[in-house]
Amino acid sequence: MADSRREGVEVSREREGVNNNNVENNNKQKSIDEWLPITSSRNAKWWYSAFHNVTAMVGAGVLSLPYAMTELGWGPGVAILILSWVITLYTLWQMVEMHEMVPGKRFDRYHELGQHAFGEKLGLWIVVPQQLIVEVGVNIVYMVTGGKSLKKVHDTVWPNSKPIRTTYFIMIFASLHLVLSHLPNFNSIAIVSLAAAVMSLSYSTIAWSTSLHKGVKPDVSYALRGSNMGVKTLNFFSALGDVAFAYAGHNVVLEIQATIPSTPEKPSKKPMWKGVLVAYAVVALCYFPVALIGYYVFGNSVDDNILITLERPAWLIATANLFVVIHVIGSYQIYAMPVFDMIETVLVKKLNFTPSFRLRFFTRTTYVLITMVVAMAVPFFGGLLGFFGGFVFAPTTYFLPCIMWLSIYKPRKYSLSWTANWICIVLGVTLMVLAPIGALRTIIMSAKTYKLFG
């Protein structure tokens, strides 16, 4: 009898110990989640979603759209722009819907949704490499864009000054991020993101309105860019990547939605979707006028950044380029935040580092410096847009959400949902295969005239 009581006491002590350990682990997990960038703040309003999404999407891509039109032509160009707008809005809606598809659980990160759709290990391997390439790639391209735009401001305001290499301007741009990158989470960069969103609408408006004011060039030509059919075909493929790059908000959409509060009565998808619709209206106001008016006015003589083509009035072009700099400052931070979250999650949860400012300072500073050095080494603006646009934006933006939707919801074969998703998948895979081919040629051609760290 005494032995039985003793065993019972020991069992209850073991259970109590297990419960205490569970409580301790849960508290530790909660404190880590409150420190990590994505899950540390959940009090965002719907308009945060709007300007975060505008900042994520409208950026370097819009300035290359007139150039993309010179390689696509009027018919295919207009069709691809409209089709991309519709498809990416549809796949973005799917991601917003899937954020809280499991009652009581939120998929705060793209790879968490991937793990739910494809399994713990496979989901990580499918999503994380692609998302990292997208986000790091965008940050590198925005380093290039920021540096080139700063140089354009300098050269426009002081045309007779001694030429300064682009690499120095990239270093100046990077120095801003050595400070801003230490803001802890999405909500803390809300003001930066709002300013970036306003700037994107401003410089887009300057680009198309100044083009329209100049009027159509007397010798304008709308012939496809390229000396022969082979070159024209490769250019066409590269232009597909430019368009894909312009619709890139999906890689941070779940992370943005994670900052919005949610209850069973008021799920986060309602304010998030409201913000997305506003963002996509702004995207249309930026993309279509810039692409179509820029191509209409300059034809195939437009540069891969339309602000370079617009030389006068000097003060307005300098202002527009300064707006671009402010915008890509915000865009860089939007795309860097999920990368910071991944790095800090691995360090704290897997390698058991203690959450601290010192850890955050070291990792984020190192990341900014790496993207700066790569940008200084290979600033092929047009080629980078096409390559990254086709190779990694197509999967994460055009068809990976569709594959997840089919895997999770299993819509009836040949139903509207099933058909729409398979159309997106086929178009997205085609884009992923074709776009990098043309972009690689652009990079190779640029490399012939470029000096390393020039």
mmCIF file of all heavy atoms in Angstrom, residues 321-341:
data_model
loop_
_atom_site.group_PDB
_atom_site.id
_atom_site.type_symbol
_atom_site.label_atom_id
_atom_site.label_comp_id
_atom_site.label_asym_id
_atom_site.label_seq_id
_atom_site.Cartn_x
_atom_site.Cartn_y
_atom_site.Cartn_z
ATOM 1 N N ASN A 321 14.516 61.287 -59.443
ATOM 2 C CA ASN A 321 15.525 60.311 -59.030
ATOM 3 C C ASN A 321 15.715 60.299 -57.519
ATOM 4 O O ASN A 321 15.976 59.242 -56.926
ATOM 5 C CB ASN A 321 16.855 60.600 -59.734
ATOM 6 C CG ASN A 321 16.903 60.003 -61.130
ATOM 7 O OD1 ASN A 321 17.140 58.815 -61.305
ATOM 8 N ND2 ASN A 321 16.640 60.833 -62.139
ATOM 9 N N LEU A 322 15.585 61.458 -56.895
ATOM 10 C CA LEU A 322 15.650 61.514 -55.436
ATOM 11 C C LEU A 322 14.467 60.763 -54.825
ATOM 12 O O LEU A 322 14.609 60.057 -53.819
ATOM 13 C CB LEU A 322 15.648 62.968 -54.965
ATOM 14 C CG LEU A 322 15.978 63.202 -53.488
ATOM 15 C CD1 LEU A 322 17.364 62.674 -53.142
ATOM 16 C CD2 LEU A 322 15.881 64.693 -53.154
ATOM 17 N N PHE A 323 13.287 60.882 -55.447
ATOM 18 C CA PHE A 323 12.109 60.121 -55.014
ATOM 19 C C PHE A 323 12.367 58.614 -55.137
ATOM 20 O O PHE A 323 11.957 57.830 -54.275
ATOM 21 C CB PHE A 323 10.876 60.505 -55.848
ATOM 22 C CG PHE A 323 10.319 61.864 -55.535
ATOM 23 C CD1 PHE A 323 9.320 62.416 -56.334
ATOM 24 C CD2 PHE A 323 10.780 62.597 -54.457
ATOM 25 C CE1 PHE A 323 8.786 63.673 -56.051
ATOM 26 C CE2 PHE A 323 10.259 63.857 -54.168
ATOM 27 C CZ PHE A 323 9.264 64.390 -54.964
ATOM 28 N N VAL A 324 13.037 58.225 -56.213
ATOM 29 C CA VAL A 324 13.373 56.811 -56.398
ATOM 30 C C VAL A 324 14.267 56.330 -55.256
ATOM 31 O O VAL A 324 14.063 55.250 -54.696
ATOM 32 C CB VAL A 324 14.090 56.577 -57.750
ATOM 33 C CG1 VAL A 324 14.586 55.132 -57.856
ATOM 34 C CG2 VAL A 324 13.157 56.880 -58.911
ATOM 35 N N VAL A 325 15.245 57.151 -54.892
ATOM 36 C CA VAL A 325 16.154 56.792 -53.794
ATOM 37 C C VAL A 325 15.367 56.571 -52.507
ATOM 38 O O VAL A 325 15.543 55.557 -51.816
ATOM 39 C CB VAL A 325 17.226 57.881 -53.579
ATOM 40 C CG1 VAL A 325 18.059 57.583 -52.331
ATOM 41 C CG2 VAL A 325 18.136 57.984 -54.799
ATOM 42 N N ILE A 326 14.471 57.512 -52.183
ATOM 43 C CA ILE A 326 13.665 57.389 -50.957
ATOM 44 C C ILE A 326 12.794 56.140 -51.018
ATOM 45 O O ILE A 326 12.648 55.410 -50.027
ATOM 46 C CB ILE A 326 12.792 58.649 -50.753
ATOM 47 C CG1 ILE A 326 13.687 59.876 -50.532
ATOM 48 C CG2 ILE A 326 11.839 58.471 -49.572
ATOM 49 C CD1 ILE A 326 12.947 61.202 -50.577
ATOM 50 N N HIS A 327 12.233 55.894 -52.214
ATOM 51 C CA HIS A 327 11.376 54.712 -52.341
ATOM 52 C C HIS A 327 12.138 53.412 -52.152
ATOM 53 O O HIS A 327 11.701 52.528 -51.424
ATOM 54 C CB HIS A 327 10.671 54.681 -53.695
ATOM 55 C CG HIS A 327 9.825 53.457 -53.869
ATOM 56 N ND1 HIS A 327 10.245 52.373 -54.601
ATOM 57 C CD2 HIS A 327 8.627 53.116 -53.348
ATOM 58 C CE1 HIS A 327 9.321 51.430 -54.532
ATOM 59 N NE2 HIS A 327 8.334 51.860 -53.787
ATOM 60 N N VAL A 328 13.282 53.269 -52.790
ATOM 61 C CA VAL A 328 13.995 51.992 -52.675
ATOM 62 C C VAL A 328 14.644 51.814 -51.306
ATOM 63 O O VAL A 328 14.965 50.692 -50.913
ATOM 64 C CB VAL A 328 15.028 51.778 -53.814
ATOM 65 C CG1 VAL A 328 14.327 51.619 -55.154
ATOM 66 C CG2 VAL A 328 16.052 52.891 -53.873
ATOM 67 N N ILE A 329 14.782 52.903 -50.550
ATOM 68 C CA ILE A 329 15.188 52.766 -49.146
ATOM 69 C C ILE A 329 14.118 51.960 -48.402
ATOM 70 O O ILE A 329 14.408 51.005 -47.683
ATOM 71 C CB ILE A 329 15.377 54.145 -48.476
ATOM 72 C CG1 ILE A 329 16.660 54.813 -48.989
ATOM 73 C CG2 ILE A 329 15.440 54.017 -46.953
ATOM 74 C CD1 ILE A 329 16.807 56.270 -48.554
ATOM 75 N N GLY A 330 12.840 52.359 -48.600
ATOM 76 C CA GLY A 330 11.738 51.621 -47.963
ATOM 77 C C GLY A 330 11.593 50.216 -48.504
ATOM 78 O O GLY A 330 11.376 49.263 -47.741
ATOM 79 N N SER A 331 11.728 50.058 -49.827
ATOM 80 C CA SER A 331 11.589 48.731 -50.439
ATOM 81 C C SER A 331 12.659 47.767 -49.932
ATOM 82 O O SER A 331 12.382 46.598 -49.666
ATOM 83 C CB SER A 331 11.696 48.849 -51.966
ATOM 84 O OG SER A 331 10.614 49.572 -52.477
ATOM 85 N N TYR A 332 13.882 48.265 -49.819
ATOM 86 C CA TYR A 332 14.974 47.424 -49.298
ATOM 87 C C TYR A 332 14.611 46.890 -47.917
ATOM 88 O O TYR A 332 14.771 45.701 -47.638
ATOM 89 C CB TYR A 332 16.266 48.245 -49.228
ATOM 90 C CG TYR A 332 17.482 47.440 -48.797
ATOM 91 C CD1 TYR A 332 18.386 46.953 -49.736
ATOM 92 C CD2 TYR A 332 17.731 47.183 -47.451
ATOM 93 C CE1 TYR A 332 19.502 46.222 -49.340
ATOM 94 C CE2 TYR A 332 18.831 46.446 -47.041
ATOM 95 C CZ TYR A 332 19.721 45.970 -47.988
ATOM 96 O OH TYR A 332 20.805 45.226 -47.580
ATOM 97 N N GLN A 333 14.084 47.763 -47.068
ATOM 98 C CA GLN A 333 13.743 47.340 -45.702
ATOM 99 C C GLN A 333 12.598 46.332 -45.678
ATOM 100 O O GLN A 333 12.615 45.380 -44.898
ATOM 101 C CB GLN A 333 13.378 48.570 -44.865
ATOM 102 C CG GLN A 333 14.554 49.488 -44.561
ATOM 103 C CD GLN A 333 15.652 48.773 -43.802
ATOM 104 O OE1 GLN A 333 15.405 48.053 -42.839
ATOM 105 N NE2 GLN A 333 16.896 48.968 -44.243
ATOM 106 N N ILE A 334 11.608 46.529 -46.556
ATOM 107 C CA ILE A 334 10.469 45.603 -46.616
ATOM 108 C C ILE A 334 10.942 44.191 -46.979
ATOM 109 O O ILE A 334 10.495 43.198 -46.397
ATOM 110 C CB ILE A 334 9.417 46.091 -47.643
ATOM 111 C CG1 ILE A 334 8.697 47.340 -47.130
ATOM 112 C CG2 ILE A 334 8.414 44.987 -47.982
ATOM 113 C CD1 ILE A 334 7.708 47.095 -46.023
ATOM 114 N N TYR A 335 11.855 44.088 -47.953
ATOM 115 C CA TYR A 335 12.335 42.780 -48.381
ATOM 116 C C TYR A 335 13.413 42.213 -47.455
ATOM 117 O O TYR A 335 13.596 40.996 -47.387
ATOM 118 C CB TYR A 335 12.874 42.856 -49.822
ATOM 119 C CG TYR A 335 11.772 42.794 -50.846
ATOM 120 C CD1 TYR A 335 11.242 43.968 -51.376
ATOM 121 C CD2 TYR A 335 11.229 41.586 -51.262
ATOM 122 C CE1 TYR A 335 10.211 43.932 -52.300
ATOM 123 C CE2 TYR A 335 10.202 41.542 -52.177
ATOM 124 C CZ TYR A 335 9.689 42.717 -52.701
ATOM 125 O OH TYR A 335 8.653 42.673 -53.601
ATOM 126 N N ALA A 336 14.111 43.093 -46.751
ATOM 127 C CA ALA A 336 15.155 42.615 -45.837
ATOM 128 C C ALA A 336 14.570 42.045 -44.548
ATOM 129 O O ALA A 336 15.153 41.124 -43.957
ATOM 130 C CB ALA A 336 16.123 43.752 -45.506
ATOM 131 N N MET A 337 13.418 42.561 -44.116
ATOM 132 C CA MET A 337 12.862 42.154 -42.818
ATOM 133 C C MET A 337 12.607 40.647 -42.718
ATOM 134 O O MET A 337 12.967 40.023 -41.701
ATOM 135 C CB MET A 337 11.590 42.951 -42.517
ATOM 136 C CG MET A 337 11.194 42.950 -41.048
ATOM 137 S SD MET A 337 12.442 43.669 -39.946
ATOM 138 C CE MET A 337 12.259 45.416 -40.279
ATOM 139 N N PRO A 338 11.989 39.986 -43.729
ATOM 140 C CA PRO A 338 11.834 38.531 -43.637
ATOM 141 C C PRO A 338 13.176 37.779 -43.619
ATOM 142 O O PRO A 338 13.284 36.719 -43.001
ATOM 143 C CB PRO A 338 11.040 38.178 -44.911
ATOM 144 C CG PRO A 338 10.322 39.427 -45.263
ATOM 145 C CD PRO A 338 11.264 40.529 -44.895
ATOM 146 N N VAL A 339 14.194 38.334 -44.295
ATOM 147 C CA VAL A 339 15.526 37.714 -44.265
ATOM 148 C C VAL A 339 16.103 37.816 -42.859
ATOM 149 O O VAL A 339 16.646 36.841 -42.320
ATOM 150 C CB VAL A 339 16.485 38.372 -45.286
ATOM 151 C CG1 VAL A 339 17.852 37.687 -45.250
ATOM 152 C CG2 VAL A 339 15.909 38.311 -46.686
ATOM 153 N N PHE A 340 15.974 38.995 -42.249
ATOM 154 C CA PHE A 340 16.429 39.156 -40.867
ATOM 155 C C PHE A 340 15.716 38.162 -39.956
ATOM 156 O O PHE A 340 16.326 37.572 -39.062
ATOM 157 C CB PHE A 340 16.150 40.583 -40.375
ATOM 158 C CG PHE A 340 16.902 41.657 -41.111
ATOM 159 C CD1 PHE A 340 16.389 42.942 -41.193
ATOM 160 C CD2 PHE A 340 18.118 41.396 -41.717
ATOM 161 C CE1 PHE A 340 17.076 43.949 -41.864
ATOM 162 C CE2 PHE A 340 18.814 42.390 -42.395
ATOM 163 C CZ PHE A 340 18.293 43.659 -42.465
ATOM 164 N N ASP A 341 14.411 37.993 -40.188
ATOM 165 C CA ASP A 341 13.619 37.072 -39.368
ATOM 166 C C ASP A 341 14.136 35.639 -39.507
ATOM 167 O O ASP A 341 14.267 34.920 -38.507
ATOM 168 C CB ASP A 341 12.145 37.146 -39.777
ATOM 169 C CG ASP A 341 11.257 36.252 -38.928
ATOM 170 O OD1 ASP A 341 10.917 36.663 -37.802
ATOM 171 O OD2 ASP A 341 10.927 35.141 -39.382
#
